[in-house]
Amino acid sequence: MIDRGFIAQLRGYGLTTAEIHYYRPDAPSLLQLFVWQEYDLAPDFPVLFDFLDHWRREIEAALHSVRIAHEGLIRPTEWNAVDGVISIQ
């Protein structure tokens, strides 16, 4: 069985991490943190925005801010040809 995350990476998805800061209704003076990770497509982030839409509809906590980090894990290799000889004594 092939991993779902690997298939997503082959389709151009990269690992997206969102740091979500929010206020709980029972403690509005405290800023809370939730970390979310999923494979998503940059720069539009449809999976993340679907999650945030769900948050706004279903969760009573008010969003303060969202920080996003994204990394495409599968990409062409970075290879440079070196012309020369290096002697190590």
Side-chain angles (χ1 to χ4, degrees), residues 33-80:
L33 172 66
F34 179 79
V35 176
W36 175 90
Q37 250 186 353
E38 187 61 60
Y39 290 101
D40 206 351
L41 287 169
D44 297 328
F45 301 108
V47 179
L48 173 61
F49 287 127
D50 284 345
F51 174 75
L52 292 175
D53 288 339
H54 168 77
W55 182 294
R56 288 185 194 103
R57 282 190 323 270
E58 305 295 330
I59 300 174
E60 294 180 14
L63 292 174
H64 173 270
S65 61
V66 178
R67 281 194 337 178
I68 302 170
H70 177 81
E71 181 66 31
L73 301 176
I74 295 181
R75 58 181 165 257
T77 59
E78 297 175 4
W79 181 80
N80 295 321

